[in-house]
């Protein structure tokens, strides 16, 4: 997901605006915008892997999805690759 902008509402919740890039079955690229409502703090200059909470999401709004910094996962994968020589 790609960061677009962020706001904080009166209740102290963060609203993040992201653009999502996905590939359809026919390999055509699609883009759409979502808003993420969360108490968590995410960083604008960081890339994230994102898994929405299906029961708490709509097409435009995602409530507290699981966002994991790509750099943390990528470091684990690189260490495993070095360890196993793949």
């Amino acid at each position: 997901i790609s960061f677009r902008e962020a706001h904080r509402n009166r209740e102290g919740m963060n609203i993040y605006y992201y653009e999502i890039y996905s590939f359809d079955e026919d390999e055509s690229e699609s883009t759409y915008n979502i808003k993420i409502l969360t108490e968590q703090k995410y960083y604008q200059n960081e890339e994230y892997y994102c898994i929405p909470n299906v029961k708490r999401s709509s097409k435009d709004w995602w409530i507290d999805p699981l966002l994991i910094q790509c750099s943390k996962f990528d470091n684990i994968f690189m260490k495993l690759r070095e360890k196993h020589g793949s």
Side-chain angles (χ1 to χ4, degrees), residues 1 47-51 66-71 73-74 77:
I1 61 176
E47 293 180 346
Y48 292 91
Y49 293 112
C50 183
I51 302 171
L66 176 62
L67 269 70
I68 302 169
Q69 291 176 321
C70 291
S71 59
F73 257 118
D74 293 345
F77 294 142

Side-chain angles (χ1 to χ4, degrees), residues 8-77:
R8 181 181 289 267
N9 68 14
R10 292 181 193 175
E11 291 81 27
M13 299 291 286
N14 297 309
I15 301 174
Y16 294 98
Y17 297 81
Y18 281 95
E19 190 167 60
I20 296 179
Y21 304 96
S22 65
F23 291 93
D24 299 326
E25 289 179 12
D26 64 356
E27 297 184 20
S28 62
E29 185 176 338
S30 298
T31 343
Y32 57 97
N33 298 314
I34 61 157
K35 295 178 268 309
I36 293 176
L37 181 65
T38 184
E39 292 179 340
Q40 303 298 316
K41 180 166 174 97
Y42 298 108
Y43 301 100
Q44 298 173 11
N45 59 347
E46 189 72 44
E47 293 180 346
Y48 292 91
Y49 293 112
C50 183
I51 302 171
N53 182 338
V54 177
K55 293 183 179 183
R56 301 179 76 194
S57 300
S58 70
K59 180 182 174 190
D60 300 322
W61 282 93
W62 291 4
I63 311 297
D64 280 328
L66 176 62
L67 269 70
I68 302 169
Q69 291 176 321
C70 291
S71 59
K72 290 185 179 189
F73 257 118
D74 293 345
N75 287 336
I76 292 169
F77 294 142

